[in-house]
Amino acid sequence: LYRHQPYVATAYLQVRYQPTENVGAESSYFDKKNEIFCQSQLTLFKSEFVLKAALAPSKVAQLPCILRQQDPVSWLSDSLEVSFPGGGEILEIRLAGSEASMPGFCVLIDSVISAYLNEVRSRGRMEFAGEHKKNELLTQEIRHELKSKIEEANSLAKELGEIGSVNHPQLT
């Protein structure tokens, strides 16, 4: 038996795909990457580690709607509706229930959003920054190695030029 829940707590969050590579005119490639990104965000939003983090603060753990649940994580995963309406970049988060539960649901949705931002988005930015730093170090290492190889090639060309008296241009 389905009971109609006339009250819905709703929040919206802009979640934009930021391509790390230049996709240029390949819009179908961008569209596919964006679709994968959006599906990943939906999955991550309702993931166990995000929901556990959302339920951890005492002001959330003590909410009547949470205290009534035998398994709050499963209940929240089943009750929370998360979507990208219209296929855009606005993530809609909904939780339906009775009028009396709405104040608690608003606190709960805010906590889920905070947990998502802390556990997923911030971590993703940190991982990106770490990868960027690794790439910078690798680029410096390759440049240093290339410079060393060029100097070695110039030295060998100079030696060969003196032996064979053939004039070779310097490599740079």
mmCIF file of all heavy atoms in Angstrom, residues 20 123-140:
data_model
loop_
_atom_site.group_PDB
_atom_site.id
_atom_site.type_symbol
_atom_site.label_atom_id
_atom_site.label_comp_id
_atom_site.label_asym_id
_atom_site.label_seq_id
_atom_site.Cartn_x
_atom_site.Cartn_y
_atom_site.Cartn_z
ATOM 1 N N THR A 20 38.907 18.075 -17.882
ATOM 2 C CA THR A 20 40.329 18.294 -17.600
ATOM 3 C C THR A 20 41.135 18.371 -18.881
ATOM 4 O O THR A 20 42.269 18.785 -18.870
ATOM 5 C CB THR A 20 40.899 17.168 -16.711
ATOM 6 O OG1 THR A 20 40.636 15.912 -17.347
ATOM 7 C CG2 THR A 20 40.270 17.204 -15.339
ATOM 8 N N ARG A 123 37.470 16.237 -1.715
ATOM 9 C CA ARG A 123 38.456 15.184 -1.919
ATOM 10 C C ARG A 123 38.867 15.128 -3.388
ATOM 11 O O ARG A 123 40.032 14.971 -3.716
ATOM 12 C CB ARG A 123 37.898 13.830 -1.474
ATOM 13 C CG ARG A 123 38.921 12.709 -1.584
ATOM 14 C CD ARG A 123 38.395 11.412 -1.048
ATOM 15 N NE ARG A 123 38.194 11.539 0.379
ATOM 16 C CZ ARG A 123 37.431 10.732 1.083
ATOM 17 N NH1 ARG A 123 36.780 9.756 0.507
ATOM 18 N NH2 ARG A 123 37.301 10.895 2.380
ATOM 19 N N GLY A 124 37.892 15.289 -4.283
ATOM 20 C CA GLY A 124 38.192 15.306 -5.716
ATOM 21 C C GLY A 124 39.105 16.446 -6.092
ATOM 22 O O GLY A 124 40.033 16.286 -6.882
ATOM 23 N N ARG A 125 38.870 17.629 -5.505
ATOM 24 C CA ARG A 125 39.747 18.775 -5.776
ATOM 25 C C ARG A 125 41.135 18.523 -5.235
ATOM 26 O O ARG A 125 42.129 18.872 -5.862
ATOM 27 C CB ARG A 125 39.153 20.053 -5.178
ATOM 28 C CG ARG A 125 38.037 20.638 -6.019
ATOM 29 C CD ARG A 125 37.670 22.035 -5.555
ATOM 30 N NE ARG A 125 36.962 22.042 -4.293
ATOM 31 C CZ ARG A 125 35.653 21.921 -4.163
ATOM 32 N NH1 ARG A 125 34.898 21.772 -5.219
ATOM 33 N NH2 ARG A 125 35.103 21.944 -2.985
ATOM 34 N N MET A 126 41.226 17.903 -4.045
ATOM 35 C CA MET A 126 42.546 17.602 -3.481
ATOM 36 C C MET A 126 43.275 16.590 -4.343
ATOM 37 O O MET A 126 44.477 16.722 -4.588
ATOM 38 C CB MET A 126 42.408 17.091 -2.040
ATOM 39 C CG MET A 126 42.018 18.176 -1.065
ATOM 40 S SD MET A 126 42.025 17.639 0.650
ATOM 41 C CE MET A 126 40.670 16.483 0.677
ATOM 42 N N GLU A 127 42.552 15.570 -4.818
ATOM 43 C CA GLU A 127 43.180 14.578 -5.686
ATOM 44 C C GLU A 127 43.636 15.212 -6.989
ATOM 45 O O GLU A 127 44.717 14.928 -7.484
ATOM 46 C CB GLU A 127 42.214 13.422 -5.959
ATOM 47 C CG GLU A 127 42.005 12.531 -4.762
ATOM 48 C CD GLU A 127 40.912 11.496 -4.977
ATOM 49 O OE1 GLU A 127 40.366 11.400 -6.094
ATOM 50 O OE2 GLU A 127 40.597 10.785 -4.013
ATOM 51 N N PHE A 128 42.814 16.131 -7.540
ATOM 52 C CA PHE A 128 43.194 16.823 -8.773
ATOM 53 C C PHE A 128 44.442 17.667 -8.529
ATOM 54 O O PHE A 128 45.365 17.671 -9.335
ATOM 55 C CB PHE A 128 42.052 17.704 -9.280
ATOM 56 C CG PHE A 128 42.428 18.539 -10.465
ATOM 57 C CD1 PHE A 128 42.527 17.967 -11.722
ATOM 58 C CD2 PHE A 128 42.719 19.886 -10.321
ATOM 59 C CE1 PHE A 128 42.891 18.716 -12.819
ATOM 60 C CE2 PHE A 128 43.079 20.647 -11.413
ATOM 61 C CZ PHE A 128 43.168 20.066 -12.661
ATOM 62 N N ALA A 129 44.471 18.384 -7.393
ATOM 63 C CA ALA A 129 45.637 19.215 -7.081
ATOM 64 C C ALA A 129 46.880 18.342 -6.919
ATOM 65 O O ALA A 129 47.963 18.701 -7.383
ATOM 66 C CB ALA A 129 45.390 20.018 -5.802
ATOM 67 N N GLY A 130 46.724 17.178 -6.297
ATOM 68 C CA GLY A 130 47.846 16.249 -6.148
ATOM 69 C C GLY A 130 48.335 15.746 -7.493
ATOM 70 O O GLY A 130 49.543 15.670 -7.740
ATOM 71 N N GLU A 131 47.400 15.409 -8.374
ATOM 72 C CA GLU A 131 47.773 14.958 -9.718
ATOM 73 C C GLU A 131 48.443 16.080 -10.493
ATOM 74 O O GLU A 131 49.415 15.857 -11.212
ATOM 75 C CB GLU A 131 46.538 14.463 -10.486
ATOM 76 C CG GLU A 131 45.994 13.138 -9.999
ATOM 77 C CD GLU A 131 46.990 12.007 -10.142
ATOM 78 O OE1 GLU A 131 47.619 11.885 -11.202
ATOM 79 O OE2 GLU A 131 47.140 11.249 -9.173
ATOM 80 N N HIS A 132 47.945 17.300 -10.339
ATOM 81 C CA HIS A 132 48.538 18.454 -11.020
ATOM 82 C C HIS A 132 49.980 18.652 -10.545
ATOM 83 O O HIS A 132 50.878 18.880 -11.358
ATOM 84 C CB HIS A 132 47.694 19.703 -10.751
ATOM 85 C CG HIS A 132 48.170 20.919 -11.466
ATOM 86 N ND1 HIS A 132 48.068 21.048 -12.829
ATOM 87 C CD2 HIS A 132 48.761 22.043 -11.006
ATOM 88 C CE1 HIS A 132 48.575 22.217 -13.187
ATOM 89 N NE2 HIS A 132 48.999 22.837 -12.088
ATOM 90 N N LYS A 133 50.196 18.551 -9.245
ATOM 91 C CA LYS A 133 51.552 18.711 -8.693
ATOM 92 C C LYS A 133 52.464 17.604 -9.216
ATOM 93 O O LYS A 133 53.617 17.870 -9.586
ATOM 94 C CB LYS A 133 51.499 18.710 -7.158
ATOM 95 C CG LYS A 133 52.814 19.011 -6.503
ATOM 96 C CD LYS A 133 53.228 20.436 -6.789
ATOM 97 C CE LYS A 133 54.486 20.767 -6.018
ATOM 98 N NZ LYS A 133 55.067 22.024 -6.453
ATOM 99 N N LYS A 134 51.971 16.368 -9.259
ATOM 100 C CA LYS A 134 52.771 15.255 -9.801
ATOM 101 C C LYS A 134 53.137 15.521 -11.254
ATOM 102 O O LYS A 134 54.269 15.276 -11.669
ATOM 103 C CB LYS A 134 51.988 13.937 -9.722
ATOM 104 C CG LYS A 134 51.950 13.302 -8.372
ATOM 105 C CD LYS A 134 51.254 11.950 -8.503
ATOM 106 C CE LYS A 134 50.505 11.597 -7.275
ATOM 107 N NZ LYS A 134 49.724 10.376 -7.413
ATOM 108 N N ASN A 135 52.172 16.028 -12.025
ATOM 109 C CA ASN A 135 52.435 16.329 -13.433
ATOM 110 C C ASN A 135 53.477 17.429 -13.585
ATOM 111 O O ASN A 135 54.330 17.361 -14.467
ATOM 112 C CB ASN A 135 51.146 16.716 -14.159
ATOM 113 C CG ASN A 135 50.239 15.531 -14.381
ATOM 114 O OD1 ASN A 135 50.677 14.386 -14.343
ATOM 115 N ND2 ASN A 135 48.963 15.806 -14.599
ATOM 116 N N GLU A 136 53.415 18.455 -12.723
ATOM 117 C CA GLU A 136 54.416 19.523 -12.767
ATOM 118 C C GLU A 136 55.810 18.968 -12.473
ATOM 119 O O GLU A 136 56.772 19.310 -13.163
ATOM 120 C CB GLU A 136 54.080 20.613 -11.748
ATOM 121 C CG GLU A 136 53.005 21.555 -12.185
ATOM 122 C CD GLU A 136 52.746 22.646 -11.136
ATOM 123 O OE1 GLU A 136 53.407 22.666 -10.073
ATOM 124 O OE2 GLU A 136 51.871 23.482 -11.404
ATOM 125 N N LEU A 137 55.914 18.122 -11.454
ATOM 126 C CA LEU A 137 57.206 17.540 -11.103
ATOM 127 C C LEU A 137 57.729 16.650 -12.217
ATOM 128 O O LEU A 137 58.927 16.682 -12.550
ATOM 129 C CB LEU A 137 57.103 16.748 -9.787
ATOM 130 C CG LEU A 137 56.845 17.582 -8.536
ATOM 131 C CD1 LEU A 137 56.580 16.665 -7.337
ATOM 132 C CD2 LEU A 137 58.013 18.509 -8.253
ATOM 133 N N LEU A 138 56.847 15.878 -12.821
ATOM 134 C CA LEU A 138 57.237 15.014 -13.931
ATOM 135 C C LEU A 138 57.703 15.846 -15.124
ATOM 136 O O LEU A 138 58.714 15.518 -15.757
ATOM 137 C CB LEU A 138 56.071 14.106 -14.330
ATOM 138 C CG LEU A 138 56.334 13.076 -15.414
ATOM 139 C CD1 LEU A 138 57.472 12.139 -15.017
ATOM 140 C CD2 LEU A 138 55.077 12.274 -15.694
ATOM 141 N N THR A 139 57.006 16.932 -15.397
ATOM 142 C CA THR A 139 57.399 17.820 -16.494
ATOM 143 C C THR A 139 58.773 18.412 -16.236
ATOM 144 O O THR A 139 59.620 18.450 -17.141
ATOM 145 C CB THR A 139 56.349 18.946 -16.678
ATOM 146 O OG1 THR A 139 55.094 18.345 -16.972
ATOM 147 C CG2 THR A 139 56.738 19.902 -17.791
ATOM 148 N N GLN A 140 59.028 18.850 -15.001
ATOM 149 C CA GLN A 140 60.352 19.398 -14.655
ATOM 150 C C GLN A 140 61.438 18.333 -14.823
ATOM 151 O O GLN A 140 62.510 18.610 -15.348
ATOM 152 C CB GLN A 140 60.356 19.918 -13.215
ATOM 153 C CG GLN A 140 59.593 21.195 -13.025
ATOM 154 C CD GLN A 140 59.533 21.610 -11.557
ATOM 155 O OE1 GLN A 140 59.973 20.885 -10.668
ATOM 156 N NE2 GLN A 140 58.962 22.780 -11.315
#
